[in-house]
Amino acid sequence: LTFTPSGTIQVTNGSLRHVLFSLQDSTGVNNQVVNFTSSNPAIATVTPASCTVSSGTGEQSSCVLKIQGLQNGSVSISAASN
């Protein structure tokens, strides 16, 4: 799993950043729901809160996240799945 860009995301009040979340070098992933959270939702929110990804030709293996800045600062976006 990768985020592009990776690392800490700098935001300002009213800014909007796009981050690509994608599967890398994976096989056997089928309709995996991945949930996303911001380390500090008072500074920035992330949408969508989740996306479904699969590996394989013709499958959705990535999604674009929107990071909306509410205050100046930095946040980390986390991905989790069961």
Side-chain angles (χ1 to χ4, degrees):
L1 304 173
T2 62
F3 286 105
T4 306
S6 61
T8 302
I9 298 166
Q10 297 293 324
V11 297
T12 58
N13 184 14
S15 68
L16 179 64
R17 297 283 310 266
H18 292 92
V19 175
L20 179 66
F21 170 80
S22 57
L23 295 174
Q24 293 290 324
D25 302 322
S26 62
T27 59
V29 177
N30 188 32
N31 294 323
Q32 185 71 45
V33 177
V34 181
N35 300 302
F36 304 101
T37 56
S38 167
S39 61
N40 190 338
I43 293 176
T45 59
V46 57
T47 55
S50 66
C51 76
T52 303
V53 292
S54 298
S55 59
T57 303
E59 299 292 332
Q60 179 178 333
S61 62
S62 64
C63 58
V64 176
L65 306 176
K66 295 179 183 177
I67 314 302
Q68 180 69 54
L70 304 175
Q71 298 182 42
N72 294 347
S74 61
V75 298
S76 295
I77 303 302
S78 299
S81 185
N82 293 331

